[in-house]
Amino acid sequence: MTSGGSRPIPSAEVDIGVELVVALLRSQHADLADLPVRPFANGWDNIMFRLGDDLAVRLPRRSAGAVLVEHEQRWLPELADRLPLPIPAPVRVGRPGLGYRWSWSVVPWFRGTSAAETDLSDPTREARRLGDFMAALHRVAPSDAPANPARDTFAGDRTERFEHAHRAVAGVLDELAASGAERVAHRWESLRRTERWAGPSLWVAGDVHAANLVVTDGEIGAVIDFGDLCAGDPAVDLAIAWMLFDEPDRAVFRAAASAGFAAVDDAMWRRAEAWALYFAVLYLANSADDARLERMGRRLVVAVLG
């Protein structure tokens, strides 16, 4: 990898194999236990297995992910009813058992490929559709909505972490643009001074990036992975605009997202851009064993620097 100081994916705290998944299904959801089970993806917090043709099993692989699965189980069924794009609301809930100590879920399987790996057939149309999704999601959250200090405030409050990652990938930034590391640092200094969100805490997905959008036949077919779901400033979700769209389509996305509870004013748009730049250097700094994450980070740097 070319990312120099990149960190690898955290190690799993428990071994999870097909045998355990089948045993958990047989003990708690016996009617699903005879469906074929096969490994699919191993993420930072969770591991995913295909279950037959239409389902998947999502299990935490470390304690940091356990509470996130419980948030998804509590809130996604309620949110799904009002959103214009499908989300992975659990269809079955699994509980600790057979030596496995965390809750887990059976979720729908969405056919397609991630937006990090395929092109949209009509980016302008998809910018509007994804903006409509944001407008529907970003409504006032209840008082018992999850808190998430990594997502529910402002990227500009994370300058120490940004600077650490920036130093680690300075060489990559200079590969991507003339004086890239310096330009990224200057852009960050400008963006992090943006006015903070003063409105009520709204529902935010917290981790909307290209790899968490499923594209089916050229269209966004689902938004997945709501482990970072929380209440806060919706700007964090709007960073997807720089991950997927060029400048004209970002404007289409912004206009559609403005139709919800909170208009996307200039301050919110700058906070969204700050999140995009923050994610760019974090992706690069944590992509040691993830080529897709590195590609996402490189694309984001180029998009923000223009």
Side-chain angles (χ1 to χ4, degrees):
M1 301 292 290
T2 59
S3 297
S6 297
R7 294 193 296 116
I9 186 173
S11 298
E13 297 172 10
V14 61
D15 291 328
I16 305 172
V18 170
E19 296 80 5
L20 174 61
V21 175
V22 172
L24 286 169
L25 288 168
R26 197 168 300 283
S27 66
Q28 299 184 34
H29 300 286
D31 59 315
L32 302 178
D34 292 329
L35 293 172
V37 176
R38 52 197 186 278
F40 175 72
N42 197 16
W44 276 57
D45 296 318
N46 299 282
I47 187 168
M48 184 86 76
F49 292 80
R50 288 286 304 273
L51 177 61
D53 294 329
D54 302 318
L55 299 170
V57 184
R58 178 172 162 85
L59 307 96
R61 61 192 290 275
R62 60 191 191 117
S63 57
V67 67
L68 306 183
V69 167
E70 293 177 356
H71 292 163
E72 292 176 340
Q73 291 174 345
R74 165 65 181 88
W75 295 108
L76 292 195
E78 182 176 315
L79 292 173
D81 291 339
R82 74 163 192 243
L83 298 176
L85 291 171
I87 63 173
V91 298
R92 301 286 183 92
V93 170
R95 297 305 181 196
L98 305 178
Y100 182 76
R101 60 184 187 272
W102 300 312
S103 295
W104 49 280
S105 299
V106 179
V107 298
W109 174 258
F110 299 114
R111 181 180 64 86
T113 307
S114 84
E117 298 171 316
T118 192
D119 293 330
L120 300 172
S121 58
D122 186 341
T124 303
R125 179 192 64 206
E126 297 310 301
R128 187 176 299 109
R129 293 180 68 232
L130 190 57
D132 290 343
F133 176 89
M134 297 299 176
L137 174 64
H138 295 157
R139 305 295 176 89
V140 177
S143 59
D144 57 341
N148 184 344
R151 294 290 190 270
D152 61 13
T153 54
F154 175 45
D157 298 332
R158 294 162 176 78
T159 291
E160 183 176 354
R161 188 177 185 194
F162 175 90
E163 290 177 344
H164 177 78
H166 179 270
R167 288 192 296 270
V169 301
V172 179
L173 299 176
D174 285 337
E175 289 176 15
L176 293 173
S179 303
E182 182 180 2
R183 291 171 61 193
V184 165
H186 287 167
R187 187 63 181 152
W188 177 257
E189 281 302 307
S190 173
L191 292 170
R192 77 182 185 91
R193 301 181 190 281
T194 302
E195 177 185 348
R196 301 307 198 257
W197 171 246
S201 293
L202 307 186
W203 277 118
V204 296
D207 199 25
V208 183
H209 57 66
N212 283 340
L213 299 177
V214 178
V215 176
T216 307
D217 299 327
E219 299 183 354
I220 298 172
V223 182
I224 62 174
D225 196 344
F226 282 74
D228 283 317
L229 180 74
C230 62
D233 177 2
V236 63
D237 289 346
L238 304 181
I240 186 64
W242 284 265
M243 302 182 198
L244 278 190
F245 307 120
D246 61 16
E247 188 170 356
D249 289 334
R250 286 200 292 271
V252 172
F253 170 84
R254 178 180 177 179
S258 290
F261 175 86
V264 183
D265 61 15
D266 289 345
M268 185 181 293
W269 198 238
R270 284 175 58 84
R271 292 195 303 273
E273 185 178 352
W275 276 111
L277 192 57
Y278 176 81
F279 288 140
V281 297
L282 265 292
Y283 292 167
L284 290 173
N286 291 281
S287 61
D289 53 3
D290 192 334
R292 181 175 66 178
L293 196 63
E294 183 177 29
R295 290 195 302 272
M296 289 166 57
R298 286 172 171 265
R299 175 173 179 172
L300 256 179
V301 169
V302 172
V304 174
L305 293 183

